[in-house]
Amino acid sequence: MIEYIISVDENDKEIGPIEKMEAHFNGILHRAFSIFIFNSNNQLLLQKRNKEKYHSGGLWTNTCCSHPRYRENLEDAIYRRLKEEMGFTCELSEIFSFSYKVNFENDLIENEYDHVFIGTFDGEIVPNGNEVEDYRWIDIDEVKLDIINNPHSYTFWFKYSFNKVIEFIKLSSVKNNN
């Protein structure tokens, strides 16, 4: 099925629709999102991407990541995709955004303006096997260590954004304690 996503400029201003694979073949900047879900024990829910994904298959990454469809607003997209990939929804808050560009071995190019969201969830996980090969709850310090010891086991965007997410959570915790 052909899917149209949203091409954007460097300020995340919408340019128009672009077919998803065309964006990835030609490295066109497009809107994306990454979701980080924590449980009440402050563990992060990671997913291992299905090895059949068009890029980064078999790698560990944040809880959910995707693109809003053309004419779909970002808020609707984050809840839709979290439900589709992991089988649940929860309240989400945007904490920052960033742009990145990376070339993959299969000649695809990820060029994204990525909005990062966090949330908390303690319920049942029902992952979509077409999207998710495996999942696990993991302590933050374990993730940090594993990224150092096994950097090729994680997606580029996860390694890029993980420390910023943790920094945000620590700053929020300090503000809430004052």
Side-chain angles (χ1 to χ4, degrees), residues 3-8 12 16 18-25 28-35 49 53-55 62 64-82 84-85 100 104 108-115 117 131 157:
E3 184 176 359
Y4 287 89
I5 59 176
I6 305 164
S7 65
V8 297
D12 195 36
I18 188 164
E19 196 276 318
K20 182 169 87 171
M21 292 312 295
E22 178 186 348
H24 291 97
F25 280 121
I28 306 299
L29 183 62
H30 56 277
R31 188 171 295 147
F33 57 86
S34 294
I35 300 171
R49 291 169 59 90
K53 296 286 283 183
Y54 59 99
H55 70 72
N62 47 286
C64 175
C65 42
S66 191
H67 314 91
R69 294 175 178 147
Y70 181 62
R71 294 194 173 138
E72 179 182 36
N73 72 49
L74 185 58
E75 185 165 321
D76 290 341
I78 60 176
Y79 292 106
R80 170 188 57 82
R81 197 62 186 152
L82 183 58
E84 288 174 356
E85 283 191 23
Y100 73 95
F104 295 106
L108 293 179
I109 304 164
E110 194 68 278
N111 188 9
E112 293 189 335
Y113 193 101
D114 195 4
H115 296 262
F117 293 83
E131 301 289 335
W157 62 89

Short mmCIF file of all heavy atoms in Angstrom, two decimals, residues 3-8 12 16 18-25 28-35 49 53-55 62 64-82 84-85 100 104 108-115 117 131 157:
data_model
loop_
_atom_site.label_atom_id
_atom_site.label_comp_id
_atom_site.label_asym_id
_atom_site.label_seq_id
_atom_site.Cartn_x
_atom_site.Cartn_y
_atom_site.Cartn_z
N GLU A 3 1.87 4.87 0.90
CA GLU A 3 1.57 5.75 2.02
C GLU A 3 2.23 7.10 1.77
O GLU A 3 3.41 7.17 1.44
CB GLU A 3 2.10 5.14 3.32
CG GLU A 3 1.76 5.93 4.55
CD GLU A 3 2.21 5.25 5.83
OE1 GLU A 3 2.77 4.16 5.78
OE2 GLU A 3 1.99 5.85 6.89
N TYR A 4 1.46 8.17 1.94
CA TYR A 4 1.98 9.52 1.78
C TYR A 4 2.22 10.13 3.15
O TYR A 4 1.37 10.05 4.04
CB TYR A 4 1.02 10.39 0.96
CG TYR A 4 1.04 10.01 -0.49
CD1 TYR A 4 0.20 9.02 -0.98
CD2 TYR A 4 1.94 10.61 -1.37
CE1 TYR A 4 0.25 8.64 -2.32
CE2 TYR A 4 2.00 10.24 -2.70
CZ TYR A 4 1.15 9.25 -3.17
OH TYR A 4 1.20 8.88 -4.49
N ILE A 5 3.41 10.70 3.30
CA ILE A 5 3.79 11.37 4.53
C ILE A 5 3.99 12.85 4.22
O ILE A 5 3.71 13.29 3.10
CB ILE A 5 5.03 10.71 5.17
CG1 ILE A 5 6.23 10.74 4.22
CG2 ILE A 5 4.70 9.27 5.59
CD1 ILE A 5 7.52 10.19 4.82
N ILE A 6 4.51 13.62 5.17
CA ILE A 6 4.56 15.07 5.04
C ILE A 6 6.00 15.55 4.86
O ILE A 6 6.82 15.41 5.77
CB ILE A 6 3.94 15.74 6.27
CG1 ILE A 6 2.51 15.22 6.49
CG2 ILE A 6 3.97 17.27 6.14
CD1 ILE A 6 1.95 15.52 7.87
N SER A 7 6.31 16.11 3.70
CA SER A 7 7.63 16.73 3.53
C SER A 7 7.57 18.11 4.18
O SER A 7 6.55 18.78 4.17
CB SER A 7 8.03 16.81 2.05
OG SER A 7 7.17 17.68 1.35
N VAL A 8 8.70 18.47 4.79
CA VAL A 8 8.78 19.74 5.53
C VAL A 8 10.09 20.46 5.20
O VAL A 8 11.01 19.87 4.66
CB VAL A 8 8.68 19.51 7.06
CG1 VAL A 8 7.34 18.92 7.44
CG2 VAL A 8 9.82 18.64 7.57
N ASP A 12 10.25 22.73 10.03
CA ASP A 12 9.09 21.85 10.16
C ASP A 12 7.82 22.46 9.54
O ASP A 12 6.71 22.06 9.85
CB ASP A 12 8.83 21.47 11.63
CG ASP A 12 7.88 20.29 11.76
OD1 ASP A 12 7.93 19.37 10.92
OD2 ASP A 12 7.07 20.29 12.70
N GLY A 16 4.38 19.61 1.60
CA GLY A 16 3.32 18.88 0.91
C GLY A 16 3.50 17.38 1.06
O GLY A 16 4.37 16.91 1.79
N ILE A 18 4.47 13.49 0.19
CA ILE A 18 5.49 12.74 -0.53
C ILE A 18 5.28 11.27 -0.20
O ILE A 18 4.96 10.93 0.95
CB ILE A 18 6.92 13.21 -0.20
CG1 ILE A 18 7.92 12.51 -1.11
CG2 ILE A 18 7.25 13.01 1.28
CD1 ILE A 18 9.29 13.15 -1.15
N GLU A 19 5.43 10.43 -1.18
CA GLU A 19 5.31 9.00 -0.95
C GLU A 19 6.44 8.58 -0.02
O GLU A 19 7.58 9.01 -0.18
CB GLU A 19 5.35 8.25 -2.29
CG GLU A 19 4.86 6.82 -2.23
CD GLU A 19 5.93 5.85 -1.79
OE1 GLU A 19 7.07 6.00 -2.25
OE2 GLU A 19 5.63 4.96 -0.98
N LYS A 20 6.12 7.76 0.98
CA LYS A 20 7.08 7.43 2.05
C LYS A 20 8.38 6.85 1.50
O LYS A 20 9.47 7.28 1.90
CB LYS A 20 6.44 6.46 3.05
CG LYS A 20 7.37 6.12 4.21
CD LYS A 20 6.64 5.40 5.31
CE LYS A 20 6.62 3.93 5.08
NZ LYS A 20 6.11 3.16 6.24
N MET A 21 8.31 5.89 0.61
CA MET A 21 9.55 5.28 0.11
C MET A 21 10.33 6.25 -0.78
O MET A 21 11.55 6.23 -0.78
CB MET A 21 9.25 3.96 -0.61
CG MET A 21 8.75 2.87 0.34
SD MET A 21 9.75 2.65 1.86
CE MET A 21 11.30 2.09 1.19
N GLU A 22 9.64 7.11 -1.50
CA GLU A 22 10.32 8.13 -2.29
C GLU A 22 11.13 9.05 -1.38
O GLU A 22 12.28 9.41 -1.68
CB GLU A 22 9.32 8.94 -3.11
CG GLU A 22 9.96 10.05 -3.93
CD GLU A 22 8.95 10.95 -4.63
OE1 GLU A 22 7.76 10.62 -4.68
OE2 GLU A 22 9.39 12.02 -5.12
N ALA A 23 10.53 9.44 -0.23
CA ALA A 23 11.24 10.28 0.73
C ALA A 23 12.50 9.59 1.22
O ALA A 23 13.55 10.23 1.37
CB ALA A 23 10.32 10.61 1.91
N HIS A 24 12.43 8.28 1.43
CA HIS A 24 13.58 7.54 1.94
C HIS A 24 14.60 7.20 0.86
O HIS A 24 15.79 7.09 1.14
CB HIS A 24 13.11 6.29 2.68
CG HIS A 24 12.40 6.62 3.96
ND1 HIS A 24 11.03 6.69 4.05
CD2 HIS A 24 12.87 6.93 5.18
CE1 HIS A 24 10.69 7.03 5.29
NE2 HIS A 24 11.79 7.19 5.99
N PHE A 25 14.18 7.04 -0.37
CA PHE A 25 15.13 6.81 -1.47
C PHE A 25 15.89 8.08 -1.81
O PHE A 25 17.07 8.03 -2.14
CB PHE A 25 14.42 6.29 -2.73
CG PHE A 25 14.11 4.82 -2.69
CD1 PHE A 25 12.81 4.38 -2.80
CD2 PHE A 25 15.13 3.88 -2.55
CE1 PHE A 25 12.51 3.02 -2.76
CE2 PHE A 25 14.84 2.52 -2.51
CZ PHE A 25 13.53 2.09 -2.62
N ILE A 28 14.53 13.07 1.27
CA ILE A 28 13.72 14.28 1.42
C ILE A 28 13.36 14.46 2.90
O ILE A 28 12.90 13.53 3.56
CB ILE A 28 12.43 14.18 0.58
CG1 ILE A 28 12.74 13.87 -0.89
CG2 ILE A 28 11.57 15.44 0.74
CD1 ILE A 28 13.58 14.90 -1.59
N LEU A 29 13.56 15.67 3.41
CA LEU A 29 13.22 15.97 4.80
C LEU A 29 11.72 15.80 5.01
O LEU A 29 10.91 16.32 4.23
CB LEU A 29 13.66 17.39 5.16
CG LEU A 29 13.44 17.83 6.61
CD1 LEU A 29 14.25 16.98 7.58
CD2 LEU A 29 13.83 19.31 6.76
N HIS A 30 11.34 15.05 6.05
CA HIS A 30 9.94 14.79 6.32
C HIS A 30 9.69 14.74 7.83
O HIS A 30 10.61 14.56 8.62
CB HIS A 30 9.48 13.48 5.65
CG HIS A 30 10.28 12.29 6.03
ND1 HIS A 30 11.50 11.98 5.42
CD2 HIS A 30 10.07 11.32 6.94
CE1 HIS A 30 11.99 10.88 5.95
NE2 HIS A 30 11.14 10.45 6.88
N ARG A 31 8.43 14.92 8.20
CA ARG A 31 8.03 14.94 9.61
C ARG A 31 7.97 13.52 10.16
O ARG A 31 7.50 12.60 9.49
CB ARG A 31 6.67 15.62 9.75
CG ARG A 31 6.26 15.86 11.19
CD ARG A 31 5.03 16.74 11.27
NE ARG A 31 5.34 18.08 10.75
CZ ARG A 31 4.46 18.85 10.09
NH1 ARG A 31 3.23 18.44 9.90
NH2 ARG A 31 4.83 20.04 9.65
N ALA A 32 8.44 13.37 11.40
CA ALA A 32 8.44 12.07 12.06
C ALA A 32 8.22 12.29 13.55
O ALA A 32 8.18 13.42 14.02
CB ALA A 32 9.76 11.35 11.83
N PHE A 33 8.07 11.18 14.27
CA PHE A 33 7.98 11.26 15.72
C PHE A 33 8.58 10.02 16.35
O PHE A 33 8.65 8.96 15.74
CB PHE A 33 6.53 11.46 16.19
CG PHE A 33 5.57 10.40 15.74
CD1 PHE A 33 5.41 9.22 16.47
CD2 PHE A 33 4.82 10.58 14.59
CE1 PHE A 33 4.51 8.25 16.05
CE2 PHE A 33 3.93 9.60 14.18
CZ PHE A 33 3.78 8.44 14.90
N SER A 34 9.04 10.20 17.57
CA SER A 34 9.60 9.12 18.39
C SER A 34 8.94 9.19 19.76
O SER A 34 8.83 10.27 20.34
CB SER A 34 11.11 9.27 18.54
OG SER A 34 11.77 9.11 17.29
N ILE A 35 8.52 8.02 20.26
CA ILE A 35 7.82 7.95 21.53
C ILE A 35 8.65 7.12 22.51
O ILE A 35 9.09 6.01 22.16
CB ILE A 35 6.42 7.33 21.36
CG1 ILE A 35 5.58 8.19 20.40
CG2 ILE A 35 5.72 7.17 22.70
CD1 ILE A 35 4.25 7.56 19.99
N ARG A 49 12.86 -3.74 16.34
CA ARG A 49 12.14 -3.63 15.07
C ARG A 49 12.13 -4.97 14.34
O ARG A 49 13.14 -5.69 14.35
CB ARG A 49 12.80 -2.57 14.18
CG ARG A 49 12.59 -1.16 14.72
CD ARG A 49 13.46 -0.14 14.00
NE ARG A 49 13.25 -0.05 12.57
CZ ARG A 49 12.38 0.75 11.98
NH1 ARG A 49 11.60 1.54 12.70
NH2 ARG A 49 12.28 0.79 10.66
N LYS A 53 11.63 -4.88 8.35
CA LYS A 53 11.39 -3.46 8.13
C LYS A 53 12.30 -2.94 7.01
O LYS A 53 13.39 -3.47 6.78
CB LYS A 53 11.65 -2.67 9.41
CG LYS A 53 10.71 -3.00 10.56
CD LYS A 53 9.33 -2.46 10.39
CE LYS A 53 9.28 -0.99 10.68
NZ LYS A 53 7.95 -0.43 10.59
N TYR A 54 11.88 -1.90 6.32
CA TYR A 54 12.61 -1.39 5.17
C TYR A 54 13.98 -0.82 5.52
O TYR A 54 14.84 -0.71 4.65
CB TYR A 54 11.77 -0.40 4.37
CG TYR A 54 11.29 0.81 5.14
CD1 TYR A 54 11.96 2.02 5.04
CD2 TYR A 54 10.16 0.74 5.95
CE1 TYR A 54 11.53 3.14 5.73
CE2 TYR A 54 9.71 1.86 6.64
CZ TYR A 54 10.40 3.04 6.53
OH TYR A 54 9.96 4.15 7.22
N HIS A 55 14.20 -0.44 6.75
CA HIS A 55 15.55 -0.12 7.24
C HIS A 55 15.59 -0.34 8.74
O HIS A 55 14.57 -0.35 9.42
CB HIS A 55 16.01 1.30 6.86
CG HIS A 55 15.30 2.40 7.56
ND1 HIS A 55 15.52 2.69 8.89
CD2 HIS A 55 14.39 3.31 7.14
CE1 HIS A 55 14.77 3.71 9.25
NE2 HIS A 55 14.07 4.10 8.21
N ASN A 62 13.49 3.06 20.54
CA ASN A 62 12.49 3.57 21.49
C ASN A 62 11.16 2.86 21.27
O ASN A 62 10.98 2.11 20.32
CB ASN A 62 12.36 5.08 21.37
CG ASN A 62 12.24 5.53 19.94
OD1 ASN A 62 13.24 5.53 19.21
ND2 ASN A 62 11.05 5.89 19.50
N CYS A 64 8.19 3.50 20.17
CA CYS A 64 7.46 3.62 18.92
C CYS A 64 8.03 4.78 18.13
O CYS A 64 8.41 5.80 18.70
CB CYS A 64 5.97 3.87 19.23
SG CYS A 64 4.93 4.18 17.80
N CYS A 65 8.10 4.62 16.81
CA CYS A 65 8.52 5.73 15.96
C CYS A 65 7.86 5.57 14.60
O CYS A 65 7.65 4.45 14.13
CB CYS A 65 10.03 5.80 15.83
SG CYS A 65 10.86 4.23 15.64
N SER A 66 7.50 6.69 14.00
CA SER A 66 6.82 6.62 12.71
C SER A 66 6.69 8.02 12.12
O SER A 66 7.41 8.93 12.53
CB SER A 66 5.43 5.99 12.89
OG SER A 66 4.86 5.68 11.64
N HIS A 67 5.75 8.16 11.19
CA HIS A 67 5.47 9.41 10.50
C HIS A 67 3.97 9.70 10.53
O HIS A 67 3.18 8.77 10.35
CB HIS A 67 5.87 9.32 9.02
CG HIS A 67 7.20 8.71 8.77
ND1 HIS A 67 7.37 7.35 8.57
CD2 HIS A 67 8.42 9.27 8.71
CE1 HIS A 67 8.65 7.11 8.39
NE2 HIS A 67 9.32 8.25 8.46
N PRO A 68 3.58 10.96 10.69
CA PRO A 68 2.18 11.27 10.45
C PRO A 68 1.90 11.10 8.96
O PRO A 68 2.78 11.37 8.13
CB PRO A 68 2.03 12.73 10.85
CG PRO A 68 3.34 13.17 11.37
CD PRO A 68 4.35 12.12 11.09
N ARG A 69 0.73 10.66 8.63
CA ARG A 69 0.34 10.57 7.22
C ARG A 69 -0.02 11.96 6.72
O ARG A 69 -0.34 12.86 7.50
CB ARG A 69 -0.87 9.64 7.09
CG ARG A 69 -0.54 8.21 7.44
CD ARG A 69 -1.78 7.36 7.41
NE ARG A 69 -1.43 5.97 7.70
CZ ARG A 69 -2.23 5.14 8.34
NH1 ARG A 69 -3.42 5.54 8.78
NH2 ARG A 69 -1.85 3.91 8.56
N TYR A 70 0.02 12.12 5.40
CA TYR A 70 -0.38 13.40 4.83
C TYR A 70 -1.81 13.71 5.25
O TYR A 70 -2.68 12.85 5.22
CB TYR A 70 -0.26 13.35 3.30
CG TYR A 70 -0.63 14.66 2.65
CD1 TYR A 70 0.10 15.81 2.94
CD2 TYR A 70 -1.70 14.74 1.79
CE1 TYR A 70 -0.24 17.02 2.36
CE2 TYR A 70 -2.04 15.95 1.20
CZ TYR A 70 -1.31 17.09 1.50
OH TYR A 70 -1.65 18.29 0.92
N ARG A 71 -2.04 14.92 5.70
CA ARG A 71 -3.31 15.43 6.20
C ARG A 71 -3.71 14.87 7.56
O ARG A 71 -4.83 15.05 8.01
CB ARG A 71 -4.44 15.23 5.19
CG ARG A 71 -4.25 16.05 3.94
CD ARG A 71 -5.51 16.12 3.12
NE ARG A 71 -5.30 17.04 2.02
CZ ARG A 71 -5.71 16.83 0.79
NH1 ARG A 71 -6.39 15.74 0.49
NH2 ARG A 71 -5.47 17.72 -0.15
N GLU A 72 -2.78 14.20 8.25
CA GLU A 72 -3.04 13.72 9.61
C GLU A 72 -2.25 14.61 10.56
O GLU A 72 -1.06 14.83 10.35
CB GLU A 72 -2.57 12.26 9.75
CG GLU A 72 -2.76 11.68 11.13
CD GLU A 72 -2.26 10.25 11.24
OE1 GLU A 72 -1.22 9.92 10.60
OE2 GLU A 72 -2.88 9.47 11.98
N ASN A 73 -2.91 15.11 11.60
CA ASN A 73 -2.15 15.95 12.52
C ASN A 73 -1.27 15.07 13.41
O ASN A 73 -1.52 13.88 13.59
CB ASN A 73 -3.05 16.92 13.30
CG ASN A 73 -3.90 16.26 14.34
OD1 ASN A 73 -3.42 15.46 15.14
ND2 ASN A 73 -5.18 16.60 14.35
N LEU A 74 -0.24 15.69 13.94
CA LEU A 74 0.77 14.97 14.72
C LEU A 74 0.16 14.28 15.93
O LEU A 74 0.48 13.12 16.22
CB LEU A 74 1.88 15.95 15.14
CG LEU A 74 3.08 15.39 15.86
CD1 LEU A 74 3.79 14.31 15.03
CD2 LEU A 74 4.06 16.51 16.20
N GLU A 75 -0.74 14.97 16.64
CA GLU A 75 -1.33 14.38 17.84
C GLU A 75 -2.13 13.11 17.52
O GLU A 75 -2.04 12.12 18.23
CB GLU A 75 -2.21 15.39 18.56
CG GLU A 75 -2.74 14.82 19.86
CD GLU A 75 -3.31 15.87 20.78
OE1 GLU A 75 -2.74 16.97 20.86
OE2 GLU A 75 -4.33 15.57 21.42
N ASP A 76 -2.90 13.12 16.45
CA ASP A 76 -3.64 11.91 16.06
C ASP A 76 -2.67 10.79 15.68
O ASP A 76 -2.88 9.62 16.01
CB ASP A 76 -4.57 12.20 14.88
CG ASP A 76 -5.75 13.09 15.27
OD1 ASP A 76 -6.06 13.20 16.48
OD2 ASP A 76 -6.36 13.67 14.35
N ALA A 77 -1.60 11.14 14.99
CA ALA A 77 -0.64 10.14 14.51
C ALA A 77 0.08 9.43 15.65
O ALA A 77 0.28 8.21 15.59
CB ALA A 77 0.38 10.81 13.58
N ILE A 78 0.47 10.17 16.69
CA ILE A 78 1.22 9.52 17.78
C ILE A 78 0.38 8.48 18.50
O ILE A 78 0.86 7.38 18.81
CB ILE A 78 1.83 10.54 18.77
CG1 ILE A 78 0.76 11.40 19.44
CG2 ILE A 78 2.90 11.39 18.07
CD1 ILE A 78 1.25 12.36 20.50
N TYR A 79 -0.89 8.78 18.73
CA TYR A 79 -1.76 7.83 19.42
C TYR A 79 -2.13 6.66 18.51
O TYR A 79 -2.17 5.51 18.94
CB TYR A 79 -3.00 8.53 19.97
CG TYR A 79 -2.66 9.49 21.09
CD1 TYR A 79 -2.67 10.86 20.90
CD2 TYR A 79 -2.28 9.00 22.34
CE1 TYR A 79 -2.33 11.73 21.92
CE2 TYR A 79 -1.94 9.87 23.37
CZ TYR A 79 -1.96 11.23 23.15
OH TYR A 79 -1.61 12.09 24.17
N ARG A 80 -2.39 6.95 17.24
CA ARG A 80 -2.71 5.88 16.28
C ARG A 80 -1.55 4.89 16.19
O ARG A 80 -1.73 3.68 16.31
CB ARG A 80 -2.98 6.48 14.89
CG ARG A 80 -3.09 5.39 13.79
CD ARG A 80 -3.17 5.99 12.38
NE ARG A 80 -2.08 6.87 12.01
CZ ARG A 80 -0.89 6.45 11.55
NH1 ARG A 80 -0.60 5.17 11.45
NH2 ARG A 80 0.04 7.34 11.22
N ARG A 81 -0.36 5.43 16.01
CA ARG A 81 0.78 4.54 15.77
C ARG A 81 1.20 3.78 17.02
O ARG A 81 1.62 2.62 16.92
CB ARG A 81 1.94 5.35 15.20
CG ARG A 81 2.98 4.52 14.55
CD ARG A 81 2.39 3.78 13.36
NE ARG A 81 3.42 2.89 12.85
CZ ARG A 81 3.20 1.76 12.22
NH1 ARG A 81 1.96 1.37 11.97
NH2 ARG A 81 4.18 1.01 11.81
N LEU A 82 1.13 4.40 18.19
CA LEU A 82 1.44 3.68 19.42
C LEU A 82 0.50 2.49 19.58
O LEU A 82 0.94 1.38 19.93
CB LEU A 82 1.36 4.62 20.63
CG LEU A 82 1.72 4.02 21.99
CD1 LEU A 82 3.14 3.45 22.01
CD2 LEU A 82 1.56 5.08 23.08
N GLU A 84 -1.13 0.94 17.11
CA GLU A 84 -0.84 -0.02 16.03
C GLU A 84 0.41 -0.85 16.31
O GLU A 84 0.43 -2.05 16.05
CB GLU A 84 -0.64 0.71 14.69
CG GLU A 84 -1.90 1.27 14.09
CD GLU A 84 -1.65 2.10 12.85
OE1 GLU A 84 -0.48 2.32 12.45
OE2 GLU A 84 -2.65 2.54 12.25
N GLU A 85 1.46 -0.22 16.81
CA GLU A 85 2.72 -0.93 17.03
C GLU A 85 2.76 -1.70 18.33
O GLU A 85 3.24 -2.84 18.37
CB GLU A 85 3.91 0.05 17.00
CG GLU A 85 4.31 0.48 15.63
CD GLU A 85 5.63 1.22 15.58
OE1 GLU A 85 6.47 1.06 16.49
OE2 GLU A 85 5.83 1.97 14.60
N TYR A 100 17.70 15.14 11.82
CA TYR A 100 18.88 14.31 11.57
C TYR A 100 18.79 13.71 10.17
O TYR A 100 17.70 13.60 9.59
CB TYR A 100 19.04 13.21 12.62
CG TYR A 100 18.04 12.08 12.49
CD1 TYR A 100 18.37 10.92 11.80
CD2 TYR A 100 16.78 12.17 13.06
CE1 TYR A 100 17.45 9.89 11.66
CE2 TYR A 100 15.87 11.15 12.94
CZ TYR A 100 16.20 10.01 12.24
OH TYR A 100 15.30 9.00 12.10
N PHE A 104 21.69 4.68 5.05
CA PHE A 104 21.72 3.28 5.45
C PHE A 104 22.42 2.44 4.39
O PHE A 104 22.55 2.85 3.23
CB PHE A 104 20.30 2.77 5.69
CG PHE A 104 19.61 3.44 6.84
CD1 PHE A 104 18.61 4.37 6.62
CD2 PHE A 104 19.99 3.16 8.15
CE1 PHE A 104 17.99 5.00 7.69
CE2 PHE A 104 19.37 3.79 9.22
CZ PHE A 104 18.38 4.71 8.98
N LEU A 108 18.95 3.54 1.42
CA LEU A 108 17.88 4.42 1.88
C LEU A 108 18.48 5.53 2.74
O LEU A 108 19.55 5.35 3.33
CB LEU A 108 16.83 3.65 2.67
CG LEU A 108 16.02 2.63 1.88
CD1 LEU A 108 15.04 1.91 2.79
CD2 LEU A 108 15.28 3.28 0.72
N ILE A 109 17.79 6.65 2.79
CA ILE A 109 18.25 7.81 3.55
C ILE A 109 17.13 8.25 4.47
O ILE A 109 16.01 8.49 4.02
CB ILE A 109 18.63 8.98 2.61
CG1 ILE A 109 19.68 8.53 1.60
CG2 ILE A 109 19.10 10.20 3.42
CD1 ILE A 109 19.83 9.47 0.42
N GLU A 110 17.43 8.36 5.75
CA GLU A 110 16.46 8.88 6.71
C GLU A 110 16.82 10.34 6.94
O GLU A 110 17.92 10.64 7.39
CB GLU A 110 16.54 8.08 8.01
CG GLU A 110 15.39 8.31 8.95
CD GLU A 110 14.06 7.77 8.43
OE1 GLU A 110 13.41 8.47 7.62
OE2 GLU A 110 13.67 6.68 8.85
N ASN A 111 15.92 11.23 6.59
CA ASN A 111 16.12 12.67 6.76
C ASN A 111 14.85 13.19 7.42
O ASN A 111 13.85 13.45 6.76
CB ASN A 111 16.37 13.33 5.40
CG ASN A 111 16.77 14.79 5.54
OD1 ASN A 111 17.03 15.29 6.63
ND2 ASN A 111 16.82 15.49 4.42
N GLU A 112 14.89 13.31 8.75
CA GLU A 112 13.67 13.56 9.50
C GLU A 112 13.75 14.79 10.39
O GLU A 112 14.79 15.10 10.96
CB GLU A 112 13.35 12.35 10.39
CG GLU A 112 12.99 11.12 9.61
CD GLU A 112 12.46 9.99 10.47
OE1 GLU A 112 12.79 9.93 11.68
OE2 GLU A 112 11.73 9.16 9.93
N TYR A 113 12.60 15.44 10.50
CA TYR A 113 12.35 16.42 11.54
C TYR A 113 11.52 15.66 12.57
O TYR A 113 10.33 15.41 12.35
CB TYR A 113 11.60 17.63 10.99
CG TYR A 113 11.60 18.80 11.95
CD1 TYR A 113 12.48 19.86 11.76
CD2 TYR A 113 10.75 18.82 13.05
CE1 TYR A 113 12.49 20.94 12.64
CE2 TYR A 113 10.76 19.89 13.93
CZ TYR A 113 11.63 20.94 13.73
OH TYR A 113 11.66 21.99 14.60
N ASP A 114 12.16 15.24 13.66
CA ASP A 114 11.60 14.26 14.59
C ASP A 114 11.09 14.94 15.86
O ASP A 114 11.85 15.62 16.55
CB ASP A 114 12.69 13.24 14.93
CG ASP A 114 12.17 11.99 15.59
OD1 ASP A 114 10.95 11.83 15.74
OD2 ASP A 114 13.02 11.14 15.94
N HIS A 115 9.81 14.74 16.15
CA HIS A 115 9.19 15.24 17.38
C HIS A 115 9.24 14.11 18.41
O HIS A 115 8.80 13.00 18.13
CB HIS A 115 7.73 15.63 17.13
CG HIS A 115 7.59 16.76 16.17
ND1 HIS A 115 7.40 18.06 16.57
CD2 HIS A 115 7.62 16.78 14.81
CE1 HIS A 115 7.32 18.84 15.52
NE2 HIS A 115 7.45 18.09 14.43
N PHE A 117 8.26 12.44 22.07
CA PHE A 117 7.20 12.41 23.08
C PHE A 117 7.56 11.41 24.17
O PHE A 117 8.23 10.41 23.89
CB PHE A 117 5.87 11.98 22.45
CG PHE A 117 5.31 12.97 21.49
CD1 PHE A 117 5.74 13.01 20.17
CD2 PHE A 117 4.33 13.87 21.88
CE1 PHE A 117 5.23 13.92 19.27
CE2 PHE A 117 3.81 14.79 20.99
CZ PHE A 117 4.25 14.82 19.68
N GLU A 131 5.51 -5.32 12.96
CA GLU A 131 6.33 -4.15 13.26
C GLU A 131 7.41 -4.43 14.29
O GLU A 131 8.52 -3.91 14.20
CB GLU A 131 5.44 -3.01 13.79
CG GLU A 131 4.36 -2.57 12.85
CD GLU A 131 4.89 -1.82 11.65
OE1 GLU A 131 5.98 -1.23 11.74
OE2 GLU A 131 4.21 -1.83 10.61
N TRP A 157 18.58 7.00 15.38
CA TRP A 157 17.80 8.06 16.02
C TRP A 157 17.62 7.81 17.51
O TRP A 157 17.55 8.75 18.27
CB TRP A 157 16.46 8.28 15.33
CG TRP A 157 15.55 7.09 15.35
CD1 TRP A 157 14.63 6.76 16.31
CD2 TRP A 157 15.50 6.04 14.39
NE1 TRP A 157 14.01 5.59 16.00
CE2 TRP A 157 14.53 5.12 14.82
CE3 TRP A 157 16.17 5.80 13.19
CZ2 TRP A 157 14.20 3.98 14.10
CZ3 TRP A 157 15.86 4.66 12.48
CH2 TRP A 157 14.89 3.77 12.93
#
